[in-house]
Amino acid sequence: MTSLTHLSLYWNNIQGRIPSSIGKLCNLKFLSLRFNNLTGKIPDFHGESVNCPFEIPFPSLQILVLSSNQLVGQLPYWLGSLKNLVVLDLEYNSLQGPIPVLDNLKKLVVLKLAENELNGTLPDSLQQLSELYELDVSNNHLTGIVSESHFSKLSKLKDLDLSGNFFILNVTSFWVPPFQLESLYISSCLLNSSFPVWLKSQSNIIYLHFSNVSVSGIVPDWFWDMSANLKDLNASFNQLQGKLPNPSKLSADVMDLSSNLFEGHIPLPSFPISLLDLSNNQFSAPIPNRLGEILATTRFLSLSGNQLTGEIPISVGEMLSAAVIDLSRNNLRGSIPSSLGNCSSLEVLDLQKNLLSGKITGSLSQLNMLQTLHLSSNKLSGEIPSFFHNWSSLETLDLGDNRLTGNIPPWTGSVFPNLRILSLRSNALSGEIPSELSDLSSLQILDLAENELNGTIPSSFVNLRAMVQIQRINHYLFYGMSFRHYYEESYSANIKNQHQTFNKILSILTSLDLSGNNLHGQIPEELMKLLGLAVLNLSANHLTGEIPESISELNQLLSLDLSSNKLSGPIPPSISSLSYLGYWNLSNNNLSGEIPFQGHITTFDAPSFAGNPALCGAPLDVNCTGNELDNGKRRADEDDSNNGFTDQWLYLSIGLGFAAGVIVPFLVLAIRRSWSHAYFLLVDRTVEEILSLARKIVVHWRNHRRFRV
């Protein structure tokens, strides 16, 4: 097919490498292989070009699109020789290395290299591409300084995306760019000014993202005035200050000013807006009463992490298109407005960490699309509502740290097939843990800590399939996706006796926390089948019995807390094989015997074992001498017996010696009385010396025996 000029195979399921024989298509003008599963390197077509009357491959090529594949390796040198090339699109691959010299591509209009693994700097040769309309090198590993000279001849440039690299944008404060951009994305670049003054010249700009560029200070008034055409503004994660115009002068459909230092009142948009994110600032005062009315078509609203006061306005119920409403981490009071039940498109409702009170309103039962509900850290009361069973799509139910009472409903286990996170911690819930919770096959985090639950730990928990499996594949838990924005699920789990927030790796965290209740009985052997557990906390209960020997099967554990129970028996030696443990606590139980201080256990200090009077061995200061003391006592008793026998023989020997040495001679001397006086005088002195020596020997013997024992 050497006469072929157009070859388009995009959006199929083509696999394998790009065949080098394509290089024989000397007359090719259009080549598109995007959205396939192609692998390997972009071929070097030099060998194939000998069949063409040209020295380079594809001399007539105008359009080259290989995007959205799995191509690797460096960009081939021959790309810089395609003098007729108009569009070069290689984005969304895994291409590596530097951007080659492309200054011969005088006709190039579109250059898209985004979402690869490219490194090096932005080549100076780009300034020669005077016809360039779109330049996108975003989300690579490019570094270095981008200066005014890179753009000196790019007067036709309309779309510029340098975001997601490590560029330093070094331009003077009085620079006037030669272009009039319609879209500018420079997020994560480093600007060298308090605010990019050169933006003042860009009166046609529609899409502007300069998130995380380290700019600070008060936003100048001219910026709000020149931004009348803006449809998408993202200036998040900077240190911008001041108050926003109220009502807002912006007509942007998407406005993200989150994670800055803005203060004052929440501004009322002048026009309907699809996304408004003002989270993590210093806004105060109540939420405007008409906000929900004006945001009737808004898909994403986040005001979290501010200092907002007052009540949630009833008008939020008019946000019928909202997928995300996040008002968390403020000082909002009052009850949850029943009008929220009108927001039938809602996927995320996050009201946690406020001062809300009263019962959970029954109107929320209409939120059939709800996937994430956070109401924790408020002052909500009453029982867990029965209408929750309407939410079959729910993946996160977080009601912790409130004042809820009553029992955990048994139906909880049968109505949430997709539930990943269930947190009811720090309430006043009572009764037994329903065994039906084991039917939550998708559950990875179960937190019932710090309640008044009693009974035993259900052995049926072995059926929690998501905890039985080791979670190895990470899925980002994003909800309510709108205009590149999304709500990212997060959860604060009690690990290492402190709360740690997880978001990026939340989907692989598995945790079972039943601490701080009135549970009794033994630790079920079946819990040791939950092989995926990373956190197990059963502390502060009344559990008895021994620690199961099979606990070593939980080899994914990062945190283990069994403290403040009534556990007895030895610590299983196999527990030393839990090599991932970063925290464990067995203190304040009735454990006994020698601590198996070997392997990974040697990384833990004495407080992890304290409060077990019968435990001994390192790292405690109690030596394991129990058996030795018993043996020593027996030896001491034997020594006492033997020494008593020795003492008796010693005195008997002295007596016999006295008899042999005194009585016998006495009988002899009785016959010769003339010798008796001198002899008995000598004997008297000798016996006194012998008895004194005997007393010294006995005292020394006994002292030596006590010292040895």
Side-chain angles (χ1 to χ4, degrees):
M1 297 189 293
T2 55
S3 299
L4 194 68
T5 59
H6 286 67
L7 176 58
S8 178
L9 298 172
Y10 73 91
W11 216 306
N12 283 282
N13 191 28
I14 301 173
Q15 303 178 10
R17 296 173 177 269
I18 299 174
S20 60
S21 59
I22 290 180
K24 296 178 180 180
L25 304 179
C26 305
N27 297 305
L28 208 60
K29 294 182 179 180
F30 182 99
L31 175 59
S32 177
L33 302 176
R34 67 188 178 115
F35 286 109
N36 282 289
N37 292 315
L38 297 171
T39 57
K41 299 180 179 180
I42 300 175
D44 181 1
F45 295 113
H46 179 72
E48 302 294 336
S49 64
V50 296
N51 298 301
C52 299
F54 308 100
E55 294 181 357
I56 62 172
F58 311 125
S60 302
L61 196 63
Q62 298 176 6
I63 309 293
L64 177 59
V65 181
L66 304 177
S67 57
S68 300
N69 282 286
Q70 302 173 35
L71 301 175
V72 298
Q74 296 192 358
L75 299 180
Y77 74 95
W78 55 262
L79 289 176
S81 303
L82 303 180
K83 297 182 179 181
N84 292 308
L85 200 63
V86 176
V87 174
L88 176 57
D89 183 359
L90 304 177
E91 64 183 1
Y92 291 98
N93 281 288
S94 298
L95 299 169
Q96 304 168 353
I99 299 173
V101 176
L102 302 174
D103 54 357
N104 289 326
L105 308 185
K106 304 295 186 182
K107 298 181 180 180
L108 197 65
V109 174
V110 175
L111 176 57
K112 301 172 73 172
L113 302 175
E115 302 288 347
N116 278 286
E117 306 291 334
L118 300 175
N119 54 35
T121 61
L122 196 66
D124 293 334
S125 60
L126 285 178
Q127 66 178 296
Q128 304 299 327
L129 308 181
S130 58
E131 298 296 319
L132 206 59
Y133 181 97
E134 179 179 0
L135 172 60
D136 187 353
V137 294
S138 62
N139 298 316
N140 280 283
H141 305 295
L142 299 170
T143 59
I145 296 176
V146 177
S147 64
E148 299 173 15
S149 63
H150 283 93
F151 309 108
S152 60
K153 298 180 181 180
L154 305 185
S155 60
K156 296 182 179 181
L157 195 64
K158 297 296 182 183
D159 301 322
L160 176 60
D161 194 343
L162 305 177
S163 61
N165 287 288
F166 305 97
F167 290 130
I168 299 175
L169 191 56
N170 186 16
V171 297
T172 60
S173 58
F174 49 84
W175 178 51
V176 178
F179 45 69
Q180 278 291 327
L181 295 177
E182 294 178 358
S183 65
L184 173 62
Y185 301 95
I186 54 174
S187 296
S188 298
C189 295
L190 179 62
L191 303 188
N192 64 345
S193 61
S194 58
F195 195 85
V197 179
W198 53 270
L199 286 176
K200 190 174 184 178
S201 65
Q202 302 301 300
S203 58
N204 296 330
I205 202 160
I206 299 175
Y207 305 97
L208 176 58
H209 285 207
F210 60 104
S211 170
N212 190 30
V213 295
S214 299
V215 296
S216 59
I218 297 176
V219 180
D221 290 337
W222 61 257
F223 177 77
W224 306 120
D225 294 332
M226 60 80 58
S227 304
N229 295 325
L230 275 178
K231 298 300 181 186
D232 186 345
L233 172 62
N234 187 343
S236 61
F237 291 96
N238 287 294
Q239 293 182 319
L240 299 174
Q241 303 174 12
K243 297 180 179 180
L244 300 183
N246 192 15
S248 174
K249 297 181 180 180
L250 297 179
S251 61
D253 189 46
V254 175
M255 185 163 63
D256 185 355
L257 300 177
S258 61
S259 299
N260 278 286
L261 301 173
F262 291 117
E263 58 186 9
H265 291 74
I266 298 293
L268 287 172
S270 302
F271 300 91
I273 186 171
S274 294
L275 183 144
L276 178 62
D277 190 348
L278 302 178
S279 61
N280 300 314
N281 278 283
Q282 298 178 3
F283 292 107
S284 57
I287 300 174
N289 288 330
R290 296 182 57 239
L291 186 66
E293 174 189 338
I294 297 173
L295 301 182
T297 60
T298 299
R299 286 271 302 162
F300 188 110
L301 172 65
S302 179
L303 304 178
S304 70
N306 283 284
Q307 302 166 21
L308 301 175
T309 59
E311 298 185 356
I312 301 174
I314 298 176
S315 65
V316 295
E318 299 183 41
M319 299 177 62
L320 303 183
S321 300
V324 174
I325 296 179
D326 185 357
L327 306 178
S328 62
R329 296 182 293 119
N330 281 288
N331 298 314
L332 299 173
R333 297 178 178 273
S335 59
I336 300 173
S338 59
S339 61
L340 272 172
N342 298 328
C343 303
S344 56
S345 300
L346 210 57
E347 299 174 17
V348 175
L349 178 60
D350 192 344
L351 304 177
Q352 64 180 309
K353 296 184 179 179
N354 279 288
L355 302 171
L356 300 174
S357 58
K359 296 184 178 181
I360 301 174
T361 175
S363 65
L364 297 184
S365 62
Q366 304 172 57
L367 305 180
N368 297 325
M369 298 180 63
L370 202 63
Q371 293 180 279
T372 294
L373 177 66
H374 285 280
L375 299 178
S376 61
S377 300
N378 280 286
K379 299 179 180 180
L380 299 173
S381 57
E383 298 185 353
I384 297 175
S386 60
F387 64 77
F388 278 12
H389 61 71
N390 293 342
W391 298 339
S392 59
S393 300
L394 204 64
E395 297 187 17
T396 297
L397 178 57
D398 180 12
L399 305 178
D401 195 14
N402 278 288
R403 300 173 179 176
L404 300 178
T405 57
N407 298 339
I408 301 174
W411 50 258
T412 305
S414 59
V415 298
F416 300 130
N418 302 310
L419 198 66
R420 294 173 178 268
I421 301 171
L422 175 59
S423 175
L424 304 174
R425 69 174 297 122
S426 300
N427 280 285
L429 298 173
S430 56
E432 298 187 357
I433 300 174
S435 60
E436 290 85 353
L437 291 183
S438 59
D439 294 331
L440 296 171
S441 58
S442 300
L443 196 66
Q444 293 179 219
I445 296 177
L446 177 59
D447 192 347
L448 306 178
E450 298 175 8
N451 279 284
E452 299 172 8
L453 301 172
N454 53 43
T456 60
I457 300 174
S459 59
S460 61
F461 276 0
V462 70
N463 296 320
L464 293 170
R465 288 187 295 176
M467 295 187 185
V468 172
Q469 301 171 352
I470 299 175
Q471 304 296 325
R472 302 188 185 277
I473 301 177
N474 190 30
H475 303 282
Y476 293 119
L477 302 180
F478 297 156
Y479 302 95
M481 184 72 71
S482 299
F483 305 96
R484 296 189 182 184
H485 290 74
Y486 49 80
Y487 175 90
E488 183 177 30
E489 184 63 274
S490 65
Y491 182 72
S492 181
N494 186 14
I495 297 181
K496 300 182 180 180
N497 204 28
Q498 58 185 353
H499 289 279
Q500 300 183 25
T501 300
F502 292 83
N503 41 42
K504 300 298 184 186
I505 62 170
L506 183 58
S507 68
I508 60 175
L509 176 67
T510 51
S511 172
L512 177 61
D513 192 344
L514 307 178
S515 61
N517 281 286
N518 297 314
L519 302 175
H520 61 266
Q522 298 185 352
I523 300 175
E525 189 77 27
E526 289 81 359
L527 285 190
M528 306 305 112
K529 301 298 182 183
L530 302 181
L531 303 183
L533 272 183
V535 179
L536 178 59
N537 191 345
L538 305 178
S539 64
N541 280 288
H542 307 291
L543 301 176
T544 56
E546 298 186 357
I547 300 173
E549 178 71 29
S550 56
I551 197 171
S552 60
E553 296 180 16
L554 303 181
N555 53 25
Q556 301 297 309
L557 277 181
L558 304 175
S559 178
L560 173 63
D561 194 344
L562 304 178
S563 63
S564 300
N565 279 288
K566 299 177 181 179
L567 299 174
S568 58
I571 299 174
S574 62
I575 208 168
S576 61
S577 65
L578 299 177
S579 56
Y580 290 162
L581 271 181
Y583 174 84
W584 86 337
N585 193 348
L586 304 181
S587 64
N588 300 315
N589 279 286
N590 296 318
L591 300 173
S592 60
E594 184 174 1
I595 296 172
F597 200 64
Q598 57 187 357
H600 193 60
I601 290 185
T602 59
T603 63
F604 298 102
D605 298 328
S608 298
F609 308 92
N612 291 280
L615 272 184
C616 63
L620 299 177
D621 293 332
V622 180
N623 294 324
C624 288
T625 57
N627 294 333
E628 295 176 12
L629 286 173
D630 291 341
N631 294 335
K633 186 175 185 300
R634 285 194 297 270
R635 286 196 299 269
D637 292 339
E638 292 173 358
D639 287 345
D640 286 341
S641 176
N642 292 337
N643 291 332
F645 184 73
T646 301
D647 291 347
Q648 293 176 5
W649 271 106
L650 179 63
Y651 291 122
L652 179 60
S653 298
I654 294 174
L656 292 175
F658 179 80
V662 176
I663 298 177
V664 172
F666 173 78
L667 294 175
V668 175
L669 291 176
I671 303 172
R672 305 277 312 243
R673 291 190 179 273
S674 59
W675 298 346
S676 62
H677 179 72
Y679 176 76
F680 283 113
L681 185 62
L682 175 62
V683 168
D684 185 60
R685 290 199 300 268
T686 301
V687 168
E688 183 62 33
E689 291 177 0
I690 290 173
L691 291 176
S692 176
L693 178 61
R695 283 193 295 270
K696 290 180 180 179
I697 291 173
V698 170
V699 170
H700 175 74
W701 183 277
R702 288 177 173 171
N703 287 340
H704 175 70
R705 183 187 64 192
R706 286 195 212 98
F707 177 77
R708 180 164 58 88
V709 172

